[in-house]
């Protein structure tokens, strides 16, 4: 299938339900687990690029699921059982190897996605629906501001890959502490929550370039509100060029 482009988003490839075995589980940092799923089940998977994400489906262990489990079959079950759903970014799609990596933040409060990743073992099966359309950075911006917490790291890494060669970037990532920092293809400012740092505080303290900016922001809701307010009210950014997304809300289960 050809992936067509429409405006600033890549048009959605066919939305399907995928049920794919875990191939590998890697503890990347103390609070981040990378789960690689793969197999012939992914032979028809068409990636949408950059920050494409999918909806993970978590069913109670005692539910017997039909084979094959299609999206239609899953919807047919809704009157009896609805899965808990959580949204995750595709960190890497290797079409040749029929493999997808997901990076799961392991947080302290219980949650079906984080708990699943903490216990994941090769052979477990992950169910997901998607992929979503993906963000296409404006290739003509003078510079790019990317800011987010660790849940946004997979998207930030994928967006960086899609920027024009030599693009001017300012990247800010909020993580718990230095142990959570990950390699990125460009320099980044790492903000440590454990030391009282915040995304809005770090961006406010930074000397930013001038010119036409494209700002992509993702993370915890209150952090997004503070950062957006800073960029619009104090920096005077054009609101049409600031794209904040709430990835999670403190004290609230997602879905
Ligand atoms: C488009 C999109 C892409 C995303 N991509 C990723 C991704 O690639 N990797 C990733 O890890 N997350 C990603 N997220 C965020 C993820 O969906 C949420 O963190 C989700 O709430 C986790 O589900 P859960 O079942 O683990 O916890 P939930 O059941 O949703 O929440 C349980 C409790 O944990 C808290 N909580 C949830 N997330 C966090 C967190 N990160 N840190 C601290 N406390 C938390 C909640 O506030 C709540 O109190 C993405 C979200 C969106 C919208």
């Amino acid at each position: 299938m050809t992936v067509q482009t429409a405006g600033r988003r890549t048009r959605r490839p066919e939305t399907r339900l995928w049920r794919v075995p875990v191939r590998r589980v890697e503890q990347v940092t103390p609070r981040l687990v990378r789960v690689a799923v793969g197999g012939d089940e992914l032979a028809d998977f068409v990636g949408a690029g950059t920050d494409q994400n999918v909806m993970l489906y978590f069913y109670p262990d005692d539910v017997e699921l039909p084979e094959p489990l299609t999206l239609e079959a899953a919807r047919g079950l809704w009157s009896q059982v609805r899965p808990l759903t959580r949204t995750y970014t595709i960190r890497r799609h290797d079409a040749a190897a029929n493999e997808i990596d997901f990076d799961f933040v392991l947080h302290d409060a219980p949650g079906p996605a984080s708990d699943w990743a903490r216990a994941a073992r090769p052979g477990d099966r992950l169910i997901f629906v998607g992929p979503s359309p993906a963000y296409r950075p404006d290739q003509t911006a003078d510079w790019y501001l990317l800011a987010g917490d660790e849940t946004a790291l997979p998207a930030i890494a994928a967006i960086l890959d899609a920027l024009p060669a030599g693009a001017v970037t300012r990247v800010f990532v909020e993580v718990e502490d230095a142990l959570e920092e990950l390699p990125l293809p460009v320099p980044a400012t790492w903000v440590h929550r454990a030391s009282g740092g915040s995304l809005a505080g770090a961006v406010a303290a930074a000397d930013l370039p001038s010119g036409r900016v494209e700002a992509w922001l993702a993370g915890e809701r209150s952090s997004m509100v503070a950062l957006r307010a800073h960029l619009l009210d104090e920096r005077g950014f054009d609101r049409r060029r600031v794209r904040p997304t709430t990835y999670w809300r403190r004290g609230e289960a997602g879905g």
Side-chain angles (χ1 to χ4, degrees):
M1 186 196 307
T2 309
V3 177
Q4 296 172 299
T5 55
R8 306 284 294 285
R9 287 253 148 200
T10 303
R11 187 168 292 165
R12 183 187 290 264
E14 186 192 6
T15 299
R16 277 181 48 182
L17 183 147
W18 311 86
R19 191 183 193 188
V20 191
V22 171
R23 277 185 173 162
R24 289 183 308 282
V25 180
E26 184 192 353
Q27 186 84 40
V28 180
T29 71
R31 296 168 60 92
L32 192 104
V33 159
R34 179 162 299 154
V35 179
V37 299
D40 292 343
E41 293 84 347
L42 284 177
D44 296 331
F45 187 91
V46 178
T50 64
D51 65 338
Q52 62 179 321
N53 49 74
V54 297
M55 189 78 85
L56 306 186
Y57 277 28
F58 297 100
Y59 286 96
D61 289 340
D62 58 353
V63 171
E64 201 160 315
L65 295 169
E67 289 276 4
L69 182 66
T70 61
L71 191 51
E72 294 67 34
R75 286 181 177 152
L77 277 178
W78 277 2
S79 57
Q80 299 156 51
V81 61
R82 276 190 184 236
L84 294 172
T85 60
R86 298 290 183 269
T87 308
Y88 277 73
T89 306
I90 292 181
R91 173 67 187 84
R92 183 189 65 106
H93 172 219
D94 181 341
N98 285 335
E99 197 167 278
I100 287 176
D101 286 353
F102 295 99
D103 282 358
F104 289 82
V105 174
L106 304 179
H107 49 81
D108 298 332
S114 173
D115 293 351
W116 179 87
R118 194 176 267 118
R121 297 289 173 268
D124 293 352
R125 288 201 288 180
L126 185 62
I127 300 171
F128 53 95
V129 170
S132 69
Y135 162 65
R136 292 174 56 236
D138 174 2
Q139 302 283 311
T140 66
D142 294 323
W143 68 283
Y144 301 85
L145 173 68
L146 303 180
D149 63 21
E150 54 272 79
T151 63
L153 262 175
I156 289 174
I159 291 167
L160 285 172
D161 286 345
L163 292 182
V168 177
T169 56
R170 292 291 182 277
V171 180
F172 296 83
V173 189
E174 182 188 310
V175 292
E176 186 62 22
D177 53 34
L179 294 176
E180 299 301 321
E181 296 183 12
L182 289 180
L184 286 174
V186 299
T189 300
W190 293 89
V191 183
H192 297 156
R193 266 191 304 272
S195 313
S198 74
L199 271 184
V203 173
D207 193 12
L208 297 179
S210 54
R212 219 159 126 262
V213 64
E214 169 110 332
W216 183 97
L217 327 166
E220 200 277 326
R221 162 108 183 130
S222 58
S223 160
M224 291 299 99
V225 169
L227 188 50
R228 180 175 180 277
H230 167 69
L231 295 176
L232 299 187
D233 302 342
E234 289 162 39
R235 297 267 185 184
F237 280 22
D238 178 346
R239 67 181 58 243
R240 289 166 302 182
R241 302 185 65 82
V242 176
R243 302 157 172 276
T245 306
T246 293
Y247 269 19
W248 60 284
R249 290 165 195 252
R250 191 168 301 286
E252 279 182 41

